[in-house]
Coordinates of all heavy atoms in Angstrom, one line a residue:
Chain A
F42 N 13.4 -44.9 9.3 CA 14.5 -44.1 9.9 C 15.9 -44.5 9.5 O 16.8 -43.7 9.2 CB 14.4 -44.1 11.5 CG 13.1 -43.4 12.0 CD1 12.0 -44.2 12.3 CD2 13.1 -42.0 12.1 CE1 10.8 -43.6 12.7 CE2 11.9 -41.4 12.6 CZ 10.8 -42.2 12.9
R45 N 16.4 -43.5 5.9 CA 16.8 -42.1 5.8 C 18.3 -41.9 6.2 O 19.0 -41.1 5.5 CB 15.9 -41.3 6.8 CG 15.8 -39.8 6.5 CD 14.5 -39.2 7.0 NE 14.4 -39.4 8.5 CZ 14.3 -38.4 9.3 NH1 14.4 -37.1 8.9 NH2 14.2 -38.6 10.6
S76 N 25.0 -46.1 24.4 CA 24.9 -44.7 24.0 C 23.9 -43.9 24.8 O 23.8 -42.7 24.6 CB 24.6 -44.7 22.5 OG 23.4 -45.4 22.3
D77 N 23.2 -44.5 25.7 CA 22.1 -43.9 26.4 C 21.1 -43.2 25.4 O 20.8 -42.0 25.4 CB 22.6 -42.8 27.4 CG 21.5 -42.2 28.2 OD1 20.5 -42.9 28.4 OD2 21.7 -41.1 28.7
W78 N 20.7 -44.0 24.4 CA 19.9 -43.5 23.3 C 18.9 -44.7 23.0 O 19.3 -45.8 22.8 CB 20.7 -43.3 22.1 CG 20.1 -42.5 21.0 CD1 19.5 -43.0 19.8 CD2 19.9 -41.1 20.9 NE1 19.0 -42.0 19.1 CE2 19.2 -40.8 19.7 CE3 20.2 -40.0 21.8 CZ2 18.9 -39.5 19.4 CZ3 19.9 -38.8 21.4 CH2 19.2 -38.5 20.2
P79 N 17.6 -44.4 23.0 CA 16.6 -45.4 23.0 C 16.2 -46.0 21.6 O 15.5 -47.0 21.6 CB 15.3 -44.7 23.6 CG 15.5 -43.3 23.2 CD 17.0 -43.0 23.2
T80 N 16.6 -45.4 20.5 CA 16.2 -45.8 19.2 C 17.3 -46.2 18.3 O 18.4 -45.8 18.5 CB 15.3 -44.8 18.6 OG1 16.0 -43.5 18.5 CG2 14.0 -44.5 19.4
F90 N 29.5 -40.8 19.6 CA 28.1 -40.9 19.2 C 27.6 -39.6 18.7 O 27.7 -38.6 19.3 CB 27.2 -41.4 20.5 CG 25.8 -41.5 20.2 CD1 25.3 -42.2 19.1 CD2 24.9 -40.8 21.0 CE1 23.9 -42.3 18.9 CE2 23.5 -40.9 20.7 CZ 23.0 -41.6 19.7
V91 N 27.0 -39.6 17.5 CA 26.5 -38.4 16.9 C 25.0 -38.2 17.1 O 24.5 -37.2 17.4 CB 26.8 -38.4 15.3 CG1 26.2 -37.2 14.7 CG2 28.3 -38.5 15.1
G92 N 24.2 -39.3 16.9 CA 22.8 -39.2 17.1 C 22.0 -40.2 16.2 O 22.6 -41.0 15.6
D95 N 17.1 -38.2 13.0 CA 16.6 -36.8 13.1 C 17.8 -35.8 13.2 O 17.9 -34.8 12.5 CB 15.7 -36.6 14.2 CG 14.4 -37.3 14.1 OD1 14.0 -37.5 12.9 OD2 13.7 -37.6 15.1
I96 N 18.8 -36.2 14.1 CA 20.0 -35.4 14.2 C 20.8 -35.4 13.0 O 21.3 -34.3 12.5 CB 20.8 -35.8 15.4 CG1 20.0 -35.5 16.7 CG2 22.2 -35.3 15.4 CD1 20.7 -35.8 18.0
E99 N 19.2 -33.0 10.5 CA 19.4 -31.6 10.9 C 20.8 -31.2 10.6 O 21.1 -30.1 10.1 CB 19.2 -31.4 12.4 CG 17.7 -31.4 12.9 CD 17.6 -31.1 14.4 OE1 18.1 -30.1 14.8 OE2 17.1 -32.0 15.1
M100 N 21.8 -32.1 10.9 CA 23.2 -31.8 10.7 C 23.5 -31.8 9.2 O 24.3 -31.0 8.7 CB 24.1 -32.8 11.4 CG 24.0 -32.6 12.9 SD 25.1 -33.8 13.7 CE 26.7 -33.0 13.3
A103 N 22.3 -28.5 7.7 CA 23.1 -27.4 8.1 C 24.5 -27.5 7.6 O 25.3 -26.6 7.9 CB 23.1 -27.3 9.7
E105 N 26.7 -29.5 8.7 CA 27.5 -29.9 9.8 C 28.0 -31.3 9.7 O 29.1 -31.7 10.2 CB 26.8 -29.7 11.1 CG 26.4 -28.3 11.4 CD 25.5 -28.2 12.6 OE1 25.2 -29.2 13.3 OE2 24.9 -27.1 12.8
Chain B
R62 N 23.5 -31.3 20.0 CA 22.1 -31.8 19.6 C 21.8 -33.1 20.3 O 20.6 -33.3 20.7 CB 22.1 -32.1 18.1 CG 21.9 -30.8 17.3 CD 22.0 -31.2 15.8 NE 22.6 -30.1 15.1 CZ 21.9 -29.1 14.6 NH1 20.6 -29.0 14.8 NH2 22.5 -28.1 13.9
V63 N 22.8 -34.0 20.5 CA 22.5 -35.2 21.1 C 22.0 -35.0 22.5 O 21.0 -35.7 23.0 CB 23.8 -36.1 21.2 CG1 23.6 -37.3 22.1 CG2 24.2 -36.6 19.8
K64 N 22.6 -34.1 23.3 CA 22.1 -33.8 24.6 C 20.7 -33.2 24.7 O 20.0 -33.5 25.6 CB 23.1 -32.9 25.3 CG 24.5 -33.4 25.5 CD 24.6 -34.5 26.6 CE 25.9 -35.1 26.7 NZ 25.9 -36.5 27.3
H66 N 18.4 -33.8 22.5 CA 17.4 -34.8 22.3 C 17.3 -35.7 23.5 O 16.2 -36.2 23.8 CB 17.8 -35.7 21.0 CG 17.5 -35.0 19.7 ND1 16.8 -35.6 18.7 CD2 17.7 -33.7 19.3 CE1 16.7 -34.7 17.7 NE2 17.2 -33.6 18.0
Q67 N 18.4 -36.0 24.1 CA 18.4 -36.8 25.3 C 17.6 -36.2 26.4 O 16.9 -36.9 27.2 CB 19.8 -37.1 25.8 CG 20.4 -38.3 25.1 CD 21.9 -38.5 25.3 OE1 22.6 -37.6 25.7 NE2 22.4 -39.7 25.1
Y70 N 14.1 -37.0 25.6 CA 13.8 -38.4 25.9 C 13.7 -38.7 27.4 O 12.9 -39.5 27.8 CB 15.0 -39.3 25.3 CG 15.0 -39.4 23.8 CD1 16.2 -39.7 23.1 CD2 13.9 -39.0 23.0 CE1 16.3 -39.8 21.8 CE2 14.0 -39.1 21.6 CZ 15.2 -39.4 21.0 OH 15.3 -39.5 19.6
M77 N 10.1 -43.4 24.8 CA 10.8 -43.4 23.5 C 11.4 -44.7 23.2 O 12.1 -45.3 24.0 CB 11.8 -42.3 23.5 CG 12.4 -42.0 22.2 SD 11.1 -41.3 21.1 CE 11.9 -41.5 19.5
G78 N 11.1 -45.2 22.0 CA 11.6 -46.5 21.6 C 10.7 -47.7 22.1 O 10.8 -48.8 21.6
L81 N 6.4 -45.1 22.1 CA 6.7 -44.1 21.1 C 7.8 -44.6 20.2 O 9.0 -44.3 20.5 CB 7.1 -42.8 21.8 CG 6.0 -41.9 22.3 CD1 6.6 -40.7 23.0 CD2 5.2 -41.3 21.1
H82 N 7.5 -45.3 19.2 CA 8.6 -45.8 18.4 C 8.9 -44.9 17.2 O 10.0 -45.0 16.6 CB 8.3 -47.3 17.9 CG 7.4 -47.3 16.7 ND1 6.1 -47.1 16.8 CD2 7.7 -47.5 15.4 CE1 5.6 -47.2 15.6 NE2 6.5 -47.4 14.7
A83 N 8.0 -44.0 16.9 CA 8.2 -43.3 15.7 C 8.0 -41.8 16.0 O 7.3 -41.1 15.2 CB 7.3 -43.7 14.6
L84 N 8.7 -41.2 17.0 CA 8.6 -39.8 17.2 C 9.7 -39.1 16.5 O 10.9 -39.4 16.8 CB 8.7 -39.5 18.7 CG 8.7 -38.0 19.1 CD1 7.3 -37.4 18.8 CD2 9.0 -37.8 20.6
Q85 N 9.4 -38.3 15.6 CA 10.4 -37.5 14.9 C 10.7 -36.3 15.7 O 9.7 -35.6 16.0 CB 9.9 -37.2 13.5 CG 11.0 -36.7 12.6 CD 10.5 -36.5 11.2 OE1 9.8 -37.4 10.6 NE2 10.7 -35.4 10.6
L86 N 11.9 -36.0 16.0 CA 12.2 -34.9 17.0 C 13.1 -33.8 16.4 O 14.1 -34.1 15.7 CB 12.9 -35.5 18.2 CG 13.2 -34.6 19.4 CD1 12.0 -34.0 19.9 CD2 13.9 -35.4 20.5
T87 N 12.7 -32.6 16.6 CA 13.6 -31.5 16.2 C 13.7 -30.6 17.5 O 12.7 -30.3 18.1 CB 13.0 -30.6 15.1 OG1 12.5 -31.4 14.1 CG2 14.0 -29.7 14.5
T88 N 14.9 -30.2 17.8 CA 15.1 -29.3 19.0 C 15.8 -28.0 18.5 O 16.5 -28.0 17.5 CB 16.0 -30.0 20.0 OG1 17.2 -30.4 19.5 CG2 15.3 -31.2 20.6

Side-chain angles (χ1 to χ4, degrees):
Chain A
F42 293 96
R45 198 153 61 115
S76 52
D77 188 23
W78 193 260
T80 55
F90 178 53
V91 176
D95 291 335
I96 287 182
E99 284 181 61
M100 291 182 73
E105 295 168 12
Chain B
R62 282 177 213 274
V63 168
K64 297 284 174 204
H66 283 228
Q67 275 169 337
Y70 291 161
M77 190 64 195
L81 275 174
H82 80 282
L84 177 69
Q85 193 175 314
L86 183 61
T87 314
T88 55

